[in-house]
Amino acid sequence: MIYQLPPLTYRYDALEPYIDSQTMEIHHTKHHAGYVNNLNKLLEGQAKLAERPLEEILADISIVPEDIRQGIRNNGGGHLNHSLFWHIMGPHSGGEPGGILGHVIQTTFGDFSIFKEQFTAAAMSRFGSGWAWLCVDFKGRMEVISTPNQDSPIMLGYRPIVGVDVWEHAYYLEYQNRRAEYLAAWWNVVNWEKAAEVFSHCMDMVAKRP
Ligand code: MN3
């Protein structure tokens, strides 16, 4: 499969003042595009591997030939992680999720504010580059986790619902080293309706698992 950079469904300046336009544009057209291009290069001449869904490859990275394994891990993870990141953000967003997603967050963590604290703590304590995630495990249980570099939660047996990029390229232009400020602002661009669709899809996948 030839991977393509997914277009954003909103403008680069749509997340202002929380995430600035220049950061969005560089992040999408340079960083994410770079992962996609590298992934396609790595898969050249790997017809059998390339026909498997990326999720499946990352779920069992040992199937990847050793000489391209780390590259697939970094660039395949980077592609999946960013695709979800753009999808669950948007203008006129923030607040708290309603519906089943809101209910499950409440029953899992006690309260939305406790979830938010745990998620922020996971994002703050990630040393160097990586991500914080709200995930479900193979039984559909909700959990907050963090991954280094571009590792995908899929590599650990989770399905990601919401993730925040804490690589410095995600916030340095606007917030410099102030990750806490970026995270505080980021909650305002989380599109919980989109997250609810992702959650529903994840729970369908969990239900279909033998
Ligand atoms: Mn990034």
Side-chain angles (χ1 to χ4, degrees):
M1 186 193 286
I2 301 294
Y3 290 96
Q4 283 181 340
L5 181 67
L8 298 193
T9 56
Y10 44 84
R11 290 159 48 113
Y12 290 124
D13 64 2
L15 306 186
E16 298 256 12
Y18 308 111
I19 303 182
D20 67 283
S21 181
Q22 194 186 10
T23 295
M24 286 297 293
E25 186 167 359
I26 295 171
H27 202 171
H28 184 244
T29 64
K30 305 290 183 207
H31 293 276
H32 189 175
Y35 300 129
V36 172
N37 293 339
N38 290 335
L39 178 60
N40 286 331
K41 268 185 220 140
L42 287 162
L43 287 172
E44 273 169 24
Q46 302 281 344
K48 276 198 90 169
L49 187 64
E51 70 191 22
R52 303 184 68 163
L54 193 49
E55 287 87 348
E56 223 177 275
I57 295 172
L58 289 175
D60 187 9
I61 195 78
S62 66
I63 64 171
V64 178
E66 211 172 338
D67 58 326
I68 59 166
R69 194 176 296 159
Q70 192 61 40
I72 295 285
R73 179 178 183 159
N74 293 342
N75 295 287
H79 175 45
L80 277 191
N81 292 344
H82 287 83
S83 297
L84 180 68
F85 186 56
W86 310 131
H87 182 69
I88 56 90
M89 296 194 294
H92 318 298
S93 296
E96 296 184 18
I100 298 173
L101 176 57
H103 176 75
V104 175
I105 287 177
Q106 197 162 14
T107 53
T108 304
F109 299 96
D111 189 63
F112 181 75
S113 64
I114 298 170
F115 153 68
K116 209 170 149 177
E117 271 171 37
Q118 281 189 27
F119 187 97
T120 303
M124 282 303 294
S125 60
R126 167 50 53 200
F127 182 75
S129 298
W131 295 74
W133 305 97
L134 174 65
C135 298
V136 289
D137 70 10
F138 68 101
K139 285 190 169 168
R141 289 172 301 209
M142 208 172 247
E143 212 175 306
V144 166
I145 66 161
S146 157
T147 55
N149 306 313
Q150 292 299 356
D151 282 4
S152 161
I154 289 172
M155 295 173 60
L156 304 168
Y158 293 96
R159 293 182 183 280
I161 299 159
V162 161
V164 67
D165 189 343
V166 295
W167 285 56
E168 282 185 343
H169 67 228
Y171 60 89
Y172 205 84
L173 289 178
E174 181 80 8
Y175 298 99
Q176 290 82 51
N177 61 326
R178 303 186 302 277
R179 187 186 288 186
E181 269 181 48
Y182 157 68
L183 290 169
W186 177 78
W187 291 104
N188 294 292
V189 298
V190 180
N191 185 328
W192 289 108
E193 283 173 23
K194 290 281 171 63
E197 289 168 14
V198 175
F199 176 59
S200 160
H201 175 71
C202 289
M203 294 310 279
D204 286 348
M205 303 291 280
V206 167
K208 275 186 203 142
R209 223 183 117 98

